[in-house]
């Protein structure tokens, strides 16, 4: 039985309150986790401020680049440990965790090391009427101690996406991973020690949201900024708390993303892409497509092809290299997804595929499994079409014109992502730019250049991260303005 402790000011800290980390594969206990109370969170924040006020706050960009690269090297050395922890917590297949989660977690540190090494700063010369001039240049300074609250769906990838730029800018962090996925965050603390990161720079506290570590971070008066990925409702709560100190926030929240499929698409390539967009990580990716609009001439063909692909999907033990889909994150989340299956039935949906729970006849029947599901026949105002489900389910609907589908796809309070499938270059540009989202993909899905802006609109978030956008969020920029007078003639 593993024992996941808090990591504060360079030391491992137990607490009297613990909870169990449960495997979604078979319901077994993965680890006992020590829950941080208010006092431990306060200790972590103070440790972070001491680090920033001390030697860490005086490090140069080049020194921090070296630290980030050492972290990446140590993560790579322990890649097998991270893979095992990720799979134990989430139940995601080896084929996904070994290709996406762990490599991307390592890449985040290397990418932000490279970005920091070449990061520009503004410099301007202002000529004045009297012949003098002013030289203006920007200085980048850390914010202080950043609260990092990360989700359970891509726990290592999204945690490192925040921690890497925060440390690159000279901040300290107080990290709270999801209570469902504490394993990789605990390993990351071990890596920080091994990589020689100074005490107090990386602090880890375990716990829940309300009346636990999450709330204690978001309400702490000395937290300098908060970055959060998770549910829109939770983001609203954190934003209220952050408003008390007028703290900067960066939120990546929920989505009810649209896929738009035109009849002129490369059909087989589109089907391959949509199987990923619908069912990667059991549909538990904020960028997954839950609303699928298919141009009428290929609507029936699409429904048939997706149903046939689902029939041959391998839903099995995560360690099997051929497994394509694992369980949901927890029994609680499975119950939520199943409640939407029932809601869709009450709303009159036609089930093209799935709609239930697979039965294995072994320990997996104690896990959090559901079938990949495709429904059709609902109006755009049905709750199943409008509310985020966050599982392996989508609603498919035909459309007849470009203008119609743009209006329908944008008719949502969310605004995170869209994917458009067409071989018409002009249409691809028109439709992708018309989407009210943070990212529009054309003939692909889940492809990212980490230097580009990433975030959402509406209920999908606030702010942008990625590349220089991350460095600017995690920094305090000071403009230095120096007046330079004309020299007297000699």
């Amino acid at each position: 039985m593993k024992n996941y402790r808090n990591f504060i000011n360079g030391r491992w800290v137990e607490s009297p309150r613990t909870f169990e980390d449960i495997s979604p594969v078979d319901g077994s206990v993965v680890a006992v986790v020590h829950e941080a109370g208010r006092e431990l969170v306060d200790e972590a924040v103070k440790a972070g401020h001491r680090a920033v006020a001390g030697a860490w706050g005086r490090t140069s960009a080049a020194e921090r680049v070296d630290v980030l690269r050492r972290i990446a090297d140590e993560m790579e050395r322990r890649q097998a440990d991270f893979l095992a922890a990720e799979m134990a917590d989430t139940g995601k297949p080896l084929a996904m965790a070994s290709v996406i989660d762990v490599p991307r977690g390592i890449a985040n540190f290397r990418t932000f090391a490279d970005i920091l090494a070449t990061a520009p700063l503004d410099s301007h010369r202002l000529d004045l009427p009297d012949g003098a001039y002013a030289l203006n240049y920007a200085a980048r300074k850390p914010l202080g101690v950043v609260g990092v609250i990360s989700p359970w769906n891509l726990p290592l990838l999204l945690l490192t996406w925040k921690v890497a730029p925060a440390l690159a800018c000279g901040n300290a962090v107080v990290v709270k991973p999801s209570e469902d996925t504490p394993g990789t965050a605990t390993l990351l603390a071990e890596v920080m020690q091994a990589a020689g990161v100074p005490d107090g720079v990386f602090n880890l506290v375990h716990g829940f949201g309300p009346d636990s570590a999450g709330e204690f971070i978001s309400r702490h008066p000395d937290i300098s900024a908060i970055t959060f990925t998770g549910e829109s409702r939770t983001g609203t709560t954190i934003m209220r708390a952050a408003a008390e100190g007028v703290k900067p926030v960066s939120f990546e929240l929920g989505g009810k993303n649209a896929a738009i499929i035109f009849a002129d698409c490369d059909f087989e390539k589109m089907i391959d892409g949509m199987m990923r967009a619908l069912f990667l990580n059991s549909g538990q990716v904020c960028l997954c497509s839950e609303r699928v609009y298919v141009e009428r001439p290929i609507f029936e063909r699409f429904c048939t092809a997706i149903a046939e692909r689902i029939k041959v999907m391998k839903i099995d033990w995560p360690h099997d290299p051929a497994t394509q889909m694992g369980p949901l994150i927890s029994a609680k989340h499975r119950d939520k997804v199943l409640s939407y299956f029932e809601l869709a039935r009450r709303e009159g949906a036609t089930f093209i595929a799935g709609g239930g729970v697979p039965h294995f006849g072994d320990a997996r029947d104690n896990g959090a499994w559901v079938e990949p599901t495709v429904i059709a026949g609902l109006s755009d105002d049905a709750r199943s079409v409008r509310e985020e489900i966050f599982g392996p389910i989508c609603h498919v609907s035909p459309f007849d014109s470009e203008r119609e589908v743009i209006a329908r796809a944008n008719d949502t309070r969310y605004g995170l992502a869209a994917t458009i499938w067409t071989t018409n270059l002009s249409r691809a540009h028109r439709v992708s730019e018309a989407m009210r989202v943070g990212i529009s993909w054309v003939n692909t899905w889940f492809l990212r250049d980490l230097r580009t802006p990433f975030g959402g609109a509406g209920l999908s978030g606030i702010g942008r991260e990625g590349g220089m956008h991350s460095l600017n969020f995690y920094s305090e920029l000071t403009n230095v303005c120096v007046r330079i007078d004309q020299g007297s003639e000699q």
Side-chain angles (χ1 to χ4, degrees):
M1 180 67 61
K2 293 183 178 177
N3 192 37
Y4 293 153
R5 296 171 294 171
N6 303 286
F7 183 73
I8 299 171
N9 199 30
R11 63 188 180 91
W12 295 97
V13 182
E14 296 185 352
S15 57
R17 294 177 62 177
T18 61
F19 58 93
E20 293 180 336
D21 177 20
I22 304 295
S23 166
V25 176
D26 58 10
S28 61
V29 179
V30 174
V32 172
V33 188
H34 290 258
E35 180 182 358
R38 192 184 302 273
E39 294 78 13
L40 283 184
V41 171
D42 185 58
E43 185 181 334
V45 175
K46 289 177 179 176
H49 278 294
R50 287 196 298 271
V52 174
W56 176 250
R58 296 189 294 272
T59 53
S60 66
E63 289 170 324
R64 295 194 299 277
V65 165
D66 182 62
V67 169
L68 264 62
R69 289 179 175 154
R70 293 204 309 267
I71 293 169
D73 290 345
E74 181 63 17
M75 289 181 71
E76 195 163 61
R77 189 184 72 80
R78 299 196 60 183
Q79 191 161 353
D81 295 333
F82 277 102
L83 186 59
E86 184 86 5
M87 293 173 65
D89 276 353
T90 65
K92 64 182 58 175
L94 175 67
M96 178 184 173
S98 62
V99 173
I100 296 177
D101 298 84
V102 177
R104 268 287 303 277
I106 297 169
N108 284 336
F109 282 99
R110 289 190 173 136
T111 295
F112 281 106
D114 292 344
I115 291 169
L116 180 64
T118 58
L121 285 166
D122 284 347
S123 178
H124 302 279
R125 172 179 167 139
L126 176 65
D127 290 312
L128 303 174
D130 61 359
Y133 67 93
L135 179 64
N136 290 267
Y137 65 91
R140 187 184 304 282
K141 298 178 290 187
L143 295 173
V145 179
V146 179
V148 178
I149 304 176
S150 59
W152 48 256
N153 60 330
L154 301 165
L156 179 63
L157 190 161
L158 292 176
L159 176 61
T160 55
W161 174 245
K162 299 172 183 298
V163 169
L167 298 191
C169 294
N171 300 285
V173 294
V174 177
V175 165
K176 192 206 85 70
S178 167
E179 62 271 19
D180 291 315
T181 52
T184 50
T186 304
L187 275 177
L188 188 59
E190 294 178 8
V191 162
M192 295 289 169
Q193 266 192 316
V197 176
D199 293 351
V201 172
F202 181 92
N203 302 280
L204 167 69
V205 291
H206 293 295
F208 303 86
D211 197 33
S212 189
E215 180 178 337
F216 303 150
I217 289 172
S218 59
R219 292 191 177 279
H220 199 289
D222 295 327
I223 284 284
S224 308
I226 300 173
T227 177
F228 168 73
T229 298
E231 287 186 326
S232 302
R233 183 175 60 247
T234 306
T236 300
T237 301
I238 294 173
M239 197 167 184
R240 288 196 189 101
E244 288 294 323
V246 197
K247 297 169 184 172
V249 295
S250 180
F251 291 163
E252 194 234 307
L253 307 177
K256 191 71 175 178
N257 307 305
I260 300 175
I261 301 167
F262 289 94
D264 67 354
C265 70
D266 180 325
F267 192 84
E268 293 304 320
K269 184 182 289 186
M270 177 274 296
I271 288 293
D272 289 340
M274 287 306 301
M275 286 296 291
R276 293 183 71 242
L278 298 175
F279 304 123
L280 185 74
N281 200 30
S282 303
Q284 300 170 126
V285 179
C286 54
L287 301 162
C288 277
S289 303
E290 290 194 12
R291 297 178 296 139
V292 181
Y293 301 97
V294 184
E295 198 166 11
R296 197 173 299 275
I298 62 168
F299 178 75
E300 295 298 335
R301 181 185 177 194
F302 175 85
C303 293
T304 300
I306 284 288
E308 290 300 317
R309 288 289 191 97
I310 288 174
K311 284 180 183 177
V312 297
M313 278 187 76
K314 187 171 177 61
I315 303 171
D316 212 330
W317 293 99
H319 285 86
D320 185 334
T323 294
Q324 295 171 282
M325 196 178 100
L328 298 180
I329 189 63
S330 66
K332 178 182 178 182
H333 188 57
R334 178 202 58 198
D335 291 345
K336 174 196 169 183
V337 172
L338 290 176
S339 74
Y340 274 97
F341 289 3
E342 292 307 309
L343 173 62
R345 289 188 174 93
R346 293 196 304 271
E347 291 180 319
T350 298
F351 278 71
I352 295 170
V357 176
H359 295 283
F360 301 100
D362 55 36
R364 285 173 293 175
D365 290 335
N366 298 317
W369 303 78
V370 300
E371 294 174 341
T373 298
V374 178
I375 62 175
L378 298 179
S379 63
D380 288 353
D381 61 357
R383 283 181 57 200
S384 301
V385 179
R386 300 198 68 81
E387 297 175 12
E388 183 184 35
I389 301 173
F390 213 63
I393 178 175
C394 72
H395 179 265
V396 185
S397 179
F399 72 89
D400 295 299
S401 74
E402 183 180 311
R403 179 173 296 185
E404 170 206 344
V405 76
I406 289 172
R408 293 173 66 189
N410 281 333
D411 183 19
T412 176
R413 298 178 68 194
Y414 294 98
L416 189 56
T419 179
I420 297 112
W421 296 85
T422 179
T423 54
N424 184 314
L425 183 61
S426 294
R427 173 186 286 151
H429 284 285
R430 281 196 309 270
V431 177
S432 59
E433 290 184 16
M435 293 294 97
R436 291 197 293 269
V437 295
I439 183 168
S440 286
W441 282 290
V442 178
N443 297 330
T444 188
W445 179 79
F446 208 52
L447 178 62
R448 286 282 320 283
D449 182 328
L450 302 185
R451 296 169 297 181
T452 59
F454 180 77
L459 288 183
S460 290
I462 183 170
R464 293 292 183 269
E465 294 185 0
M468 289 301 301
H469 304 277
S470 285
L471 295 194
N472 288 338
F473 172 74
Y474 292 107
S475 299
E476 195 75 68
L477 292 172
T478 296
N479 181 68
V480 178
C481 179
V482 181
R483 178 185 169 98
I484 300 174
D485 293 315
Q486 281 189 316
S488 58
E489 293 185 7
Q490 298 296 322

